[in-house]
Amino acid sequence: NFGFCPHEDPSVTTMPSESVKAIGEGLKRLRIKGRMALVIYPHQFGEQEREAIEAFLKPVDPHIVSIQKVYGLNIHTGPYAILLEKRKEWK
């Protein structure tokens, strides 16, 4: 999850650069055919974080990592998910 911990201090949030680094490290450790779900919540730095994560993932070759973006059809401000499936080794 990216954003803040529900029912906790909302000023303590994930940060864009740390989030992108964590995703890259996670992809290195993920096995082939392994899956990862990223849930992006709105928060103080949410727009910058969303932009950073999507900019990091958008150019990824789909033969290496399959990426899907899933969001509520009738919810415009809520969280959404990015689903990843590793197909080949990540460098």
Side-chain angles (χ1 to χ4, degrees):
N1 288 335
F2 297 92
F4 62 93
C5 189
H7 310 295
E8 297 293 329
D9 182 355
S11 69
V12 178
T13 66
T14 53
M15 299 300 289
S17 61
E18 294 170 356
S19 298
V20 167
K21 183 178 177 182
I23 294 165
E25 288 298 316
L27 283 168
K28 286 180 190 173
R29 296 171 189 225
L30 197 63
R31 293 181 180 160
I32 303 296
K33 295 190 180 182
R35 297 177 181 158
M36 184 185 316
L38 313 176
V39 182
I40 316 295
Y41 287 90
H43 64 94
Q44 180 181 1
F45 301 104
E47 188 64 22
Q48 296 96 323
E49 187 168 53
R50 178 194 67 77
E51 289 173 359
I53 290 171
E54 290 187 12
F56 174 69
L57 293 173
K58 198 168 199 167
V60 173
D61 183 337
H63 294 97
I64 297 173
V65 180
S66 169
I67 304 170
Q68 297 178 2
K69 183 176 177 181
V70 182
Y71 53 94
L73 190 60
N74 62 348
I75 301 172
H76 303 294
T77 60
Y80 69 95
I82 297 176
L83 309 176
L84 311 171
E85 182 178 8
K86 187 172 177 179
R87 295 181 171 179
K88 293 184 180 177
E89 279 308 315
W90 175 266
K91 297 177 183 180

